[in-house]
Amino acid sequence: FSVECFADATCSDTCEIDDSGIKGKRAREDLRLRVISVDAQGNKNYSDEESFHVVCRGGSIQGKGWKAKFEKVVVEADTRPIGEGIYEAVFQVPIEGAYSLQVLHVNTKGREADEDLAELETSPVQFEVAKASPEALAAMN
């Protein structure tokens, strides 16, 4: 006889984050964050029916002298499935600075509305973004 095994429901405590697409980047460049969907037993979940939401918060001091002030940035993005249980969020931040990413699993499996977001155990992710390239700055003007 044969036995078929399937991954259980995605577990926010065991999902993995691939942050290699946000390291060493500049402002106004595409930042790519990948989430690998995993169940509570550590099995990769190959479903493309999950959803993750990314909230990026940070910023830096902009201006000089007495005009200098901290410019706060908040960017949100939803992931899209790219296959084999991997989800990707693509977003940009407008200025250089220190940032923190919060990754939330969106539970679409019949829970109450106030319980439908669970932060991933591997979240938040800290990273820094350098000043935009001269070409990107020129394109703004």
Side-chain angles (χ1 to χ4, degrees):
F1 74 96
S2 65
V3 176
E4 283 189 64
C5 296
F6 298 96
D8 200 354
T10 297
C11 178
S12 59
D13 291 342
T14 56
C15 286
E16 301 168 10
I17 295 175
D18 174 0
D19 62 357
S20 60
I22 62 172
K23 304 290 183 177
K25 297 291 187 173
R26 295 177 171 266
R28 302 191 182 279
E29 288 182 347
D30 282 350
L31 303 174
R32 297 178 182 276
L33 182 81
R34 291 186 174 180
V35 178
I36 298 94
S37 179
V38 179
D39 71 10
Q41 291 76 37
N43 300 308
K44 192 170 178 184
N45 189 340
Y46 288 91
S47 166
D48 284 340
E49 297 176 9
E50 300 293 334
S51 182
F52 297 89
H53 186 71
V54 176
V55 181
C56 179
R57 292 181 179 91
S60 64
I61 295 175
Q62 300 291 301
K64 295 184 180 184
W66 62 273
K67 291 185 176 185
K69 67 176 186 169
F70 185 83
E71 188 172 330
K72 181 175 143 180
V73 175
V74 178
V75 177
E76 296 191 34
D78 289 317
T79 59
R80 62 178 178 78
I82 60 172
E84 298 199 3
I86 301 173
Y87 299 81
E88 183 176 67
V90 180
F91 58 97
Q92 295 182 356
V93 293
I95 60 172
E96 73 277 4
Y99 290 89
S100 177
L101 281 173
Q102 180 183 28
V103 183
L104 303 166
H105 176 237
V106 180
N107 186 340
T108 57
K109 309 248 186 310
R111 287 180 139 190
E112 297 297 322
D114 61 345
E115 298 178 0
D116 64 351
L117 296 176
E119 184 172 0
L120 270 57
E121 185 72 26
T122 51
S123 170
V125 176
Q126 312 294 324
F127 69 103
E128 292 186 15
V129 173
K131 190 171 186 171
S133 69
E135 295 82 18
L137 291 172
M140 287 179 13
N141 300 327

